[in-house]
Amino acid sequence: NQMKTALTALTVLLFAFAQFESAGAAGRTASFLLTGAGARPAGMGNAFVALADDATAAYWNPAGLSRMFQQQLSLYYLNQTNLSHQTFASYVYLFPELPRAAAAVSANYINLGKMEELDDAGQLTGANFYAQQAAVSLSYSRELRGNIFAGITAKVINEDFKDDKPLAFAGDAGLIYFPAESLSLGLAVQNIGSGISVSGTESRLPALLKAGAGFKFQDFAAAFDVDKYIDNTLKYHAGIERGIFRSFRVRAGYESGKETGKGAGLTAGLGFRDISGFTPAQMNEEQPPSPAINPVKNVLMDASRNRAEENRPHAITTPMEHALKTRFELDYAVEYDGDFGFRHKLSTSYGF
């Protein structure tokens, strides 16, 4: 049954994280894997593990990929305050022969900028070099049964620090469960994999366990996440999103762990979605009928139908909320990092 499937998958995820955590941490590297992806989640305090429903789900929770209803290409850019730059790109493909199944390829790249070279004694040599980090990932997601979605990701990680160019391999896995019509619960483990050696020092990847809850009704969404790292550090994320008219979104959120100044961790964002490709009549036709009893079960249980026939959200929504199926999206977010100033994030996506 659905509960047994969910509990089995949950146990596997928690066991994988516990095994990795029990190995301890001999230093931590590849911290760029924790920087996030997408201006929409950033505007909501990076609380997205239970709401993931766009191309950035490849980063936050691969289970969310199978909740999508169109192929999508997404690009994200972050200009850091220390002159480093991050770019994230993701492409999501929906399998036409498999109902609610999707795959994604994504790349996360950070240019750390110019760095000063040190000798073995830790003294400046006067020379400079450019450092960069990158991860390329392949994800797969599908509906397990009813209102349970699962996904996995395999990734190759590379760091380039002049003479050091180490490689590492890791994986992510996630679940999203709908216990009620507008409520979703998400769980994901990230960066479970091999160690990585930098300058002769073996370090572990920044593995973490993410758990969260999301609420979505018509044009309003709210989410709360908790992150647990292998060193037992906890971080909290909370955010809201509100639709204005049919094409605009405003967002606000908070992310803990930024204790470098008053107000650090506050986030805000704006979004625009082009739904001009869909007439109001088409959007109304694509809405599921309002079931009288157990709406989640009635909408979600029939997984055997062709995707074209079930091209609809997994929760009952209004035509305004059906902006999940869009031609073009543009999102902006700003994060306040206290003494380190503001971070501006921009992302865009195209659906087809």
Side-chain angles (χ1 to χ4, degrees):
N1 55 42
Q2 294 181 19
M3 187 57 65
K4 183 177 179 180
T5 301
L7 290 176
T8 300
L10 177 63
T11 301
V12 171
L13 290 184
L14 294 177
F15 178 76
F17 181 78
Q19 290 296 107
F20 193 80
E21 184 180 32
S22 65
R28 195 171 73 179
T29 187
S31 58
F32 79 101
L33 296 173
L34 305 176
T35 54
R40 180 187 173 205
M44 300 177 66
N46 288 319
F48 209 59
V49 69
L51 289 182
D53 58 5
D54 58 27
T56 64
Y59 174 89
W60 296 103
N61 188 346
L65 296 170
S66 55
R67 298 181 57 217
M68 298 178 61
F69 301 97
Q70 65 184 82
Q71 298 182 136
Q72 189 178 75
L73 174 65
S74 178
L75 299 173
Y76 162 72
Y77 177 77
L78 162 64
N79 182 12
Q80 298 267 33
T81 57
N82 61 357
L83 302 182
S84 66
H85 306 275
Q86 178 190 6
T87 302
F88 177 86
S90 178
Y91 168 70
V92 180
Y93 173 78
L94 306 183
F95 293 96
E97 69 280 3
L98 297 175
R100 294 194 172 116
V105 58
S106 58
N108 190 4
Y109 171 79
I110 288 188
N111 185 333
L112 297 173
K114 184 185 295 185
M115 307 185 74
E116 297 180 310
E117 184 182 50
L118 302 176
D119 59 22
D120 294 338
Q123 301 299 315
L124 293 174
T125 66
N128 298 314
F129 67 94
Y130 288 89
Q132 54 193 357
Q133 301 170 304
V136 178
S137 305
L138 182 63
S139 306
Y140 176 75
S141 172
R142 72 167 303 159
E143 180 185 52
L144 292 182
R145 64 172 64 193
N147 49 356
I148 304 170
F149 303 84
I152 57 174
T153 294
K155 64 181 74 172
V156 180
I157 303 157
N158 172 249
E159 295 189 310
D160 186 349
F161 297 101
K162 196 180 178 184
D163 297 329
D164 284 322
K165 304 179 187 295
L167 281 176
F169 303 90
D172 303 341
L175 290 171
I176 294 180
Y177 170 58
F178 283 83
E181 177 181 351
S182 299
L183 178 65
S184 59
L185 303 177
L187 182 74
V189 292
Q190 296 182 339
N191 308 320
I192 304 296
S194 64
I196 188 169
S197 179
V198 180
S199 299
T201 301
E202 186 73 16
S203 299
R204 299 184 67 80
L205 296 175
L208 75 155
L209 175 69
K210 301 177 70 70
F215 175 80
K216 201 169 188 179
F217 180 73
Q218 296 186 5
D219 59 352
F220 175 80
F224 178 79
D225 288 5
V226 178
D227 296 349
K228 183 181 186 298
Y229 297 84
I230 57 175
D231 60 2
N232 291 321
T233 300
L234 294 177
K235 288 184 65 175
Y236 305 94
H237 311 261
I240 58 173
E241 178 183 61
R242 172 68 172 168
I244 300 178
F245 305 112
R246 291 195 349 179
S247 298
F248 295 92
R249 298 289 186 270
V250 294
R251 306 177 182 106
Y254 174 76
E255 178 179 3
S256 71
K258 301 181 181 297
E259 301 174 357
T260 57
K262 186 176 181 180
L266 293 176
T267 69
L270 298 171
F272 169 77
R273 300 183 177 186
D274 176 18
I275 55 177
S276 59
F278 302 97
T279 66
Q282 288 175 323
M283 295 174 69
N284 282 320
E285 288 173 1
E286 292 175 351
Q287 299 308 306
S290 299
I293 301 175
N294 197 347
V296 173
K297 181 176 181 180
N298 289 349
V299 173
L300 301 179
M301 282 296 289
D302 190 1
S304 63
R305 288 177 296 174
N306 183 276
R307 179 180 290 275
E309 297 176 357
E310 57 179 19
N311 195 10
R312 60 189 61 173
H314 294 290
I316 304 304
T317 58
T318 65
M320 179 185 295
E321 181 55 31
H322 198 61
L324 282 173
K325 187 170 184 180
T326 59
R327 299 302 187 203
F328 172 78
E329 300 180 26
L330 180 64
D331 294 295
Y332 166 79
V334 58
E335 297 180 348
Y336 181 56
D337 204 5
D339 295 339
F340 293 99
F342 294 91
R343 296 183 179 184
H344 302 276
K345 305 186 176 187
L346 184 69
S347 61
T348 182
S349 62
Y350 179 76
F352 48 94

